[in-house]
Amino acid sequence: MAWLAKAAPYLQAGGSVMSVISNEQGASSNARQLRYQAGQTRATSQRAAAEERRRARLLDSRARAVAAKSGAGVSDPSVVNLRGDISAEGEYRALTRMYEGETEAGSMEAQASEVKRAARGKSIATILDAASTFASKYG
């Protein structure tokens, strides 16, 4: 049993080291997952923006067809204005989708950085606590 008393500080130190390693690995895993989700969010918003642009092109095509069928012609000022509005609205919607995705992805990346920072702080606190306990008991 005397050997157990002599080994106790080393076992405690080993436990602290294992706690720090586990904490760091868990935080890295969580941060990695958040960054992956941020990338997925960006990709989704890019796809949504492309879809908004496609819809605008289809609507513009329809406007041209209706104008041609009515006899107004594509160069009629009201048709030109309408087509310009359709194009501007389509681009606005596409950029809005991109902005929303980028904002959400940025939030996830900030959260990932915070997870890593908090884990680092907890690891340092664990090490300092273990050193303090060791010093007060065996110092």
Side-chain angles (χ1 to χ4, degrees), residues 57-99:
R57 283 193 309 273
L58 289 174
L59 190 56
D60 180 57
S61 175
R62 170 112 172 100
R64 280 185 289 149
V66 169
K69 185 176 181 179
S70 73
V74 180
S75 61
D76 184 76
S78 63
V79 174
V80 170
N81 288 340
L82 179 63
R83 290 184 62 212
D85 290 348
I86 289 169
S87 177
E89 180 69 18
E91 188 61 18
Y92 171 77
R93 288 173 180 253
L95 293 174
T96 299
R97 293 292 185 107
M98 293 287 288
Y99 174 78

